[in-house]
Amino acid sequence: KAGVTQTPRYLIKTRGQQVTLSCSPISGHRSVSWYQQTPGQGLQFLFEYFSETQRNKGNFPGRFSGRQFSNSRSEMNVSTLELGDSALYLCASSLLDEQFFGPGTRLTVL
Amino acid sequence: GDSVTQMEGPVTLSEEAFLTINCTYTATGYPSLFWYVQYPGEGLQLLLKATKADDKGSNKGFEATYRKETTSFHLEKGSVQVSDSAVYFCAPASGGSYIPTFGRGTSLIVHP
């Protein structure tokens, strides 16, 4: 069974730009969650989508948004990038109570 | 909301040493408890879990027991290997959607 895939794996952007990250969950998983991981703040929950609806949301500004498609694939978008948005963005899919993580997208904002 | 306190790392051990990584949590109700592991350059993987009081989760020689009275879920391994070097995250998950709240992570370094 294929695992969670994330594209791209690495991304370099400049301040003020926007970025879209993609996540393909494990087949059959309808829940997709996004996390931001930084050395300073650790692993922080961004949002969760289930059946194309945002079901849970973390404490991030509105510049961070996401969506989920009918095939459960998910995208997250960050607009007006700031230097502090540099992080590893992790996507996880789940069926019940276990989260299965992708390898992450490393975003660097210059 | 839920919160987690993990011992700060890095924890540095020699191969075959005994490992304990402490974790205490606060959560609403009776959460499920998880340990995840992150190897260098990878995403997190579920290591083990326990879903009710006194349950013991175990995997790959690691164990942790759900202690409701002390709200703890300490991770132990009797004999660590170099390949266990990674960052370990404790995470309770409450509520119907089981979104885990992650601790800061504890880095483990095992020397040959």
Side-chain angles (χ1 to χ4, degrees):
Chain A
K1 195 183 228 185
V4 177
T5 58
Q6 291 187 246
T7 57
R9 291 294 310 277
Y10 302 91
L11 207 48
I12 298 175
K13 292 286 187 179
T14 56
R15 279 182 300 173
Q17 287 187 309
Q18 74 164 19
V19 67
T20 299
L21 312 182
S22 181
C23 171
S24 292
I26 291 172
S27 178
H29 288 193
R30 293 164 65 189
S31 168
V32 174
S33 298
W34 288 89
Y35 298 85
Q36 181 195 66
Q37 186 176 27
T38 60
Q41 299 298 318
L43 204 62
Q44 294 186 286
F45 170 71
L46 281 154
F47 30 65
E48 182 220 6
Y49 285 86
F50 182 86
S51 293
E52 302 179 65
T53 301
Q54 188 179 87
R55 186 163 69 172
N56 288 286
K57 187 178 188 304
N59 190 25
F60 276 81
R63 300 186 296 109
F64 292 81
S65 63
R67 60 177 175 168
Q68 186 180 34
F69 302 95
S70 58
N71 61 358
S72 293
R73 190 177 70 85
S74 178
E75 290 180 347
M76 68 162 282
N77 184 277
V78 188
S79 63
T80 319
L81 284 166
E82 301 176 358
L83 295 179
D85 297 333
S86 294
L88 181 67
Y89 289 88
L90 292 164
C91 163
S93 71
S94 62
L95 191 57
L96 294 171
D97 61 351
E98 297 179 22
Q99 304 251 313
F100 295 82
F101 284 82
T105 294
R106 173 74 62 186
L107 172 65
T108 301
V109 182
L110 302 176
Chain B
D2 298 352
S3 67
V4 182
T5 301
Q6 279 185 242
M7 59 191 294
E8 292 203 15
V11 173
T12 304
L13 296 172
S14 297
E15 207 165 24
E16 299 184 4
F18 183 85
L19 168 71
T20 299
I21 299 178
N22 291 335
C23 169
T24 56
Y25 65 90
T26 58
T28 306
Y30 302 101
S32 294
L33 300 176
F34 302 84
W35 276 100
Y36 284 84
V37 58
Q38 186 175 30
Y39 297 101
E42 299 182 11
L44 279 70
Q45 303 174 21
L46 178 65
L47 180 60
L48 54 83
K49 70 175 186 179
T51 57
K52 60 183 189 296
D54 300 323
D55 265 4
K56 178 184 284 188
S58 61
N59 185 26
K60 300 181 182 179
F62 291 89
E63 294 183 339
T65 301
Y66 191 141
R67 300 289 186 200
K68 179 170 166 289
E69 63 278 7
T70 55
T71 61
S72 64
F73 193 53
H74 304 320
L75 183 68
E76 296 182 336
K77 186 175 185 182
S79 175
V80 294
Q81 305 300 312
V82 172
S83 57
D84 294 327
S85 297
V87 180
Y88 293 80
F89 294 88
C90 180
S94 302
S97 60
Y98 293 107
I99 301 298
T101 297
F102 289 94
R104 297 301 299 267
T106 301
S107 175
L108 170 65
I109 301 168
V110 180
H111 293 294

